[in-house]
Amino acid sequence: MVAAAFLLPSLVLLGALVVHPIGYSLYRSLFDRSGDAFVGVGNYREIIRDDTIRTALRNTALWVVLAPTTATALGLIFAVLTERVRWGTAFKLLVFMPMAISMLAAGIIFRLVYDQDPDRGVANAVWVGVHDTFAQSSAFPKARPGRDSPLAAAAGGAFVTRDPVRPGAPALLPLVGMAPEDLPAGTRTAVAAAPEPGKVTGTVWQDFTRGGGGRTNVVDPTESALAGIRVEAVKDGRVVDSATARADGTFTLSAQADGALLRLPASNFREAYAGVRWLGPTLVTPAVIGAYVWMWAGFAMVLIGAGLAAVPRELLEAARVDGAGEWQVFRRITVPLLAPVLAVVLVTLVINVMKIFDLVFVIAPGSVQDDANVLALQLYRTSFGTDADPGLGSAIAVLLLVLVVPVMLYNIRRMRKEARR
C-alpha cells in the first residue's frame, strides 16, 4: 500500500497525459469530421486513398532510412577521428553546439541557407562560386540588337552582322536590353573605332543614352562600352579570326576578316547561373534531412564517444601488434564493440524522426510542403485549421503510434537483454 501510494500520483499523470489521449484518439478515429456519425475504418481507408497522405508516408520512410543512418555514421566518424587529436574536444564542442538550438531556430537558419538567391543563401553562394570558377557566366545576359540594327539573330543565341565587313570601314555592333545599373563596375564610355590600314576595326557598345536624345546605331558621347565581348569573323561557316572588345568597346581584326561576317557568339550572352533549387519539389526532403543531420550528428558523436572511451585499449593494441591495419581494427574490433551504443543511437533517432515536424514546417515553403510532407506534419495540417477533420487526424495519429510501437518494443527488448548481461 505504501508503494501504491507513492506510485499513485505518477500513475494518475500517466493516465491523464498518455493513456487517455491515446484511447480517445483511437475512439475519435472511428467517427467522421463532426464526431456524430460512426464511420468505422473509413478514416483509415481514406489514409490509403489520399495522395497527400501517401506522399507523407513515403517521405517518412525516406526519413527513417536516411536521417538516422547518416547522423549515426557521421557521429561514429567524428568520434573515432577526434579521439587521437589534441583539439578533439574543441571539435566535439563545435559539432555538438547545434543541439543547443531549437528546431524552430534551426529551421529559420536553414531556410536562409537554402535561399535561391546566391546573395542570401549560403548553399547557393558556394555552389554558384564553384560553378562560375569552371564556367564563367556572361556579364551581358540580356543584351540583344535594337531596331534597324546591323546585327541579326543567328542559331544558338548568337548575333551576326547582316553585311560583310571591309578594312577601312569600322564595324558598328550596337546592343540594347541592359539597364545601366546592371553593367559591370568600371564600365567606360564607348569610343568610335578609328580605321586601320588592312585591318577590320569596330565598336561594341550599348546603344542607349540616358534621358534620351541619342541617335540609333551611332556611338554617342555618353553611351557605354561593352568591354570583354568576344567578336568572331566567320567565312563559309568557319572562324578565321577573333578579338575581344577593349575597355572602350573597340576591337581590331586582321586582314583575314576582310569580307567576313562578324559574329557575337552565344557565350557572350549566357544567363548567369542561378544555382540549385534546394527547396524545390525534387530536393526539399533531402535538404531538410541535411538540416536534421547537422543538428543531431553531435548527439550521436557524444554518445558514441562515451562508448568508445569504454572500449578496452588492450584489445585494440593486441590487434595492431598482430598486424591489423587501422581499417581492420575499426571494422572488426571497434565497430562490433560499439554495436550496443550504435543501436541505442540509431533507435533513438528513428523514434525521433518519425515525429519530425518543426524542421519540415519551417524550412519547406508553402508551395512545396505537399512534396516535403511527413506524417507528423500531415497530422497537424489535417487536425487543425479552417478545414480540420479531427476524425482523419486521429486516424493518422493512431497510424503514427502503430509505426513507432515496433521500434519501442525492440528498444525495450534490447535494454532487457543488456540488463541480463
Side-chain angles (χ1 to χ4, degrees):
M1 294 202 42
V2 171
F6 276 103
L7 287 174
L8 186 59
S10 298
L11 292 176
V12 170
L13 285 175
L14 188 66
L17 301 180
V18 178
V19 177
H20 174 264
I22 291 175
Y24 183 75
S25 294
L26 180 60
Y27 168 80
R28 186 65 180 82
S29 68
L30 303 177
F31 289 81
D32 67 352
R33 184 191 301 265
S34 65
D36 299 327
F38 180 80
V39 295
V41 296
N43 287 321
Y44 295 95
R45 282 199 295 265
E46 182 64 23
I47 290 176
I48 299 173
R49 290 195 297 261
D50 192 289
D51 290 337
T52 304
I53 301 178
R54 287 207 303 267
T55 300
L57 278 168
R58 284 195 299 269
N59 286 340
T60 301
L62 189 64
W63 270 87
V64 168
V65 171
L66 289 183
T69 53
T70 305
T72 304
L74 284 177
L76 176 61
I77 293 170
F78 291 156
V80 171
L81 293 182
T82 55
E83 189 186 25
R84 297 187 177 185
V85 295
R86 288 183 301 174
W87 42 268
T89 303
F91 179 81
K92 288 180 180 179
L93 179 63
L94 289 174
V95 175
F96 188 74
M97 278 179 65
M99 284 295 298
I101 302 174
S102 69
M103 285 280 197
L104 176 63
I108 294 171
I109 290 170
F110 274 87
R111 180 67 178 266
L112 294 174
V113 167
Y114 291 134
D115 196 285
Q116 180 72 27
D117 185 356
D119 293 331
R120 296 179 60 194
V122 175
N124 260 346
V126 174
W127 194 269
V128 169
V130 172
H131 176 275
D132 288 350
T133 300
F134 300 98
Q136 186 67 38
S137 59
S138 168
F140 315 108
K142 297 180 180 179
R144 66 182 189 279
R147 59 185 176 85
D148 302 325
S149 175
L151 291 168
F159 301 112
V160 178
T161 55
R162 301 178 187 274
D163 303 311
V165 293
R166 299 293 178 186
L172 298 175
L173 305 179
L175 295 170
V176 296
M178 301 157 288
E181 58 270 16
D182 292 338
L183 293 175
T187 296
R188 291 168 51 180
T189 302
V191 175
E196 296 184 26
K199 295 182 178 180
V200 173
T201 61
T203 304
V204 187
W205 83 102
Q206 184 185 26
D207 193 16
F208 172 80
T209 301
R210 283 198 181 213
R215 294 169 294 171
T216 304
N217 300 329
V218 174
V219 183
D220 293 308
T222 61
E223 293 177 339
S224 300
L226 301 182
I229 281 190
R230 181 178 174 82
V231 182
E232 297 175 343
V234 180
K235 283 184 180 179
D236 301 323
R238 185 171 58 89
V239 177
V240 296
D241 197 8
S242 63
T244 300
R246 305 181 187 95
D248 59 3
T250 61
F251 62 88
T252 302
L253 297 166
S254 67
Q256 291 180 309
D258 185 8
L261 294 175
L262 298 187
R263 179 174 66 189
L264 302 179
S267 58
N268 290 317
F269 315 106
R270 185 185 297 119
E271 289 283 348
Y273 181 61
V276 177
R277 287 192 64 197
W278 299 105
L279 299 182
T282 305
L283 293 178
V284 62
T285 295
V288 180
I289 290 176
Y292 178 88
V293 170
W294 175 77
M295 289 192 67
W296 286 86
F299 166 82
M301 178 195 65
V302 169
L303 290 189
I304 295 170
L308 193 61
V311 172
R313 299 298 158 185
E314 57 270 16
L315 293 179
L316 304 179
E317 295 303 327
R320 294 188 181 101
V321 169
D322 288 341
E326 290 301 320
W327 171 246
Q328 290 176 308
V329 172
F330 173 76
R331 187 165 60 92
R332 296 183 179 276
I333 297 177
T334 304
V335 172
L337 289 176
L338 287 175
V341 179
L342 295 176
V344 170
V345 173
L346 200 60
V347 170
T348 303
L349 293 181
V350 166
I351 295 174
N352 185 268
V353 300
M354 281 190 177
K355 303 180 294 179
I356 196 70
F357 165 79
D358 320 54
L359 284 179
V360 181
F361 184 70
V362 176
I363 296 177
S367 59
V368 295
Q369 277 209 351
D370 283 346
D371 300 285
N373 203 11
V374 290
L375 276 178
L377 178 59
Q378 184 60 34
L379 167 61
Y380 168 78
R381 295 170 65 184
T382 303
S383 302
F384 304 99
T386 55
D387 193 31
D389 187 342
L392 182 58
S394 298
I396 297 173
V398 172
L399 173 63
L400 193 55
L401 175 65
V402 169
L403 293 176
V404 171
V405 164
V407 183
M408 296 175 62
L409 292 177
Y410 167 79
N411 205 26
I412 292 171
R413 289 182 58 190
R414 183 194 56 75
M415 288 190 293
R416 286 179 177 173
K417 189 181 295 185
E418 289 293 321
R420 285 196 296 267
R421 290 181 183 177

